[in-house]
């Protein structure tokens, strides 16, 4: 996955070389923080956080479905399945008041996977 560059904020002058995986982790981290904040915040916070989460998963879905994606097919399929669930649940959170915990849990699992892959 390398589709989140549009979400990444440049960090000029820090002297650290960042990988695409680092950028993906950072984006998931920021969006997950927004979801956690929205869980106890205002309706406007909820709308903004779910919108960002849906935007992130939509971008990832596009990348995962592209011919140039080099992830193993089984991992791609699993992530596409998670994306579908995350998008549907995000819409339910906005329309029916569904809990944000499943979205937070999914994002945290992806973050753990990104860190685990980086360590190997």
């Amino acid at each position: 996955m390398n589709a989140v560059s549009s979400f990444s904020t440049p960090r000029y002058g820090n002297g650290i070389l960042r990988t695409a995986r680092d950028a993906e982790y950072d984006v998931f981290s920021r969006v997950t923080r927004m979801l956690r904040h929205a869980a106890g915040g205002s309706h406007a916070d909820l709308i903004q956080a779910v919108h960002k989460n849906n935007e992130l998963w939509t971008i990832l879905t596009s990348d995962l479905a592209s011919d140039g994606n080099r992830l193993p097919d089984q991992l791609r399929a699993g992530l596409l399945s998670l994306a579908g669930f995350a998008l549907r649940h995000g819409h339910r959170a906005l329309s029916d008041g569904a809990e944000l915990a499943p979205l937070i849990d999914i994002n945290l699992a992806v973050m753990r996977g990104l860190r685990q892959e980086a360590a190997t």
Side-chain angles (χ1 to χ4, degrees), residues 86-120:
L87 290 167
R88 284 189 307 275
H89 194 80
H91 291 276
R92 279 197 299 267
L94 292 175
S95 63
D96 301 332
E99 301 250 346
L100 296 180
L103 299 176
I104 294 167
D105 291 344
I106 289 169
N107 288 2
L108 290 172
V110 170
M111 290 166 63
R112 282 190 300 274
L114 287 167
R115 282 296 181 225
Q116 197 171 46
E117 285 182 19
T120 57

Side-chain angles (χ1 to χ4, degrees), residues 1 20 27 29 32 38 48 53 55-56 67 69 73-74 79-81 83 87-88 92 104 106 109 112 115:
M1 295 185 312
V27 171
S29 178
T32 303
Q48 184 178 16
N53 195 65
E55 188 176 22
L56 170 60
D67 291 335
N69 188 292
D73 289 344
Q74 187 174 4
L79 288 168
L80 284 167
S81 179
L87 290 167
R88 284 189 307 275
R92 279 197 299 267
I104 294 167
I106 289 169
R112 282 190 300 274
R115 282 296 181 225

Side-chain angles (χ1 to χ4, degrees), residues 35-56:
L35 289 168
R36 284 180 166 165
H37 176 75
S42 69
H43 189 66
D45 291 337
L46 172 75
I47 292 169
Q48 184 178 16
V50 171
H51 171 72
K52 281 296 182 188
N53 195 65
N54 285 352
E55 188 176 22
L56 170 60

Side-chain angles (χ1 to χ4, degrees), residues 4-72:
V4 298
S5 60
S6 63
F7 272 84
S8 299
T9 304
R11 309 245 195 287
Y12 299 108
N14 67 3
I16 297 173
L17 181 62
R18 298 177 48 77
T19 66
R21 185 158 289 137
D22 291 333
E24 290 166 356
Y25 183 92
D26 287 349
V27 171
F28 269 100
S29 178
R30 276 187 279 149
V31 171
T32 303
R33 266 194 309 274
M34 289 176 73
L35 289 168
R36 284 180 166 165
H37 176 75
S42 69
H43 189 66
D45 291 337
L46 172 75
I47 292 169
Q48 184 178 16
V50 171
H51 171 72
K52 281 296 182 188
N53 195 65
N54 285 352
E55 188 176 22
L56 170 60
W57 280 102
T58 299
I59 291 168
L60 291 174
T61 299
S62 176
D63 182 60
L64 289 165
S66 74
D67 291 335
N69 188 292
R70 295 179 287 162
L71 289 176

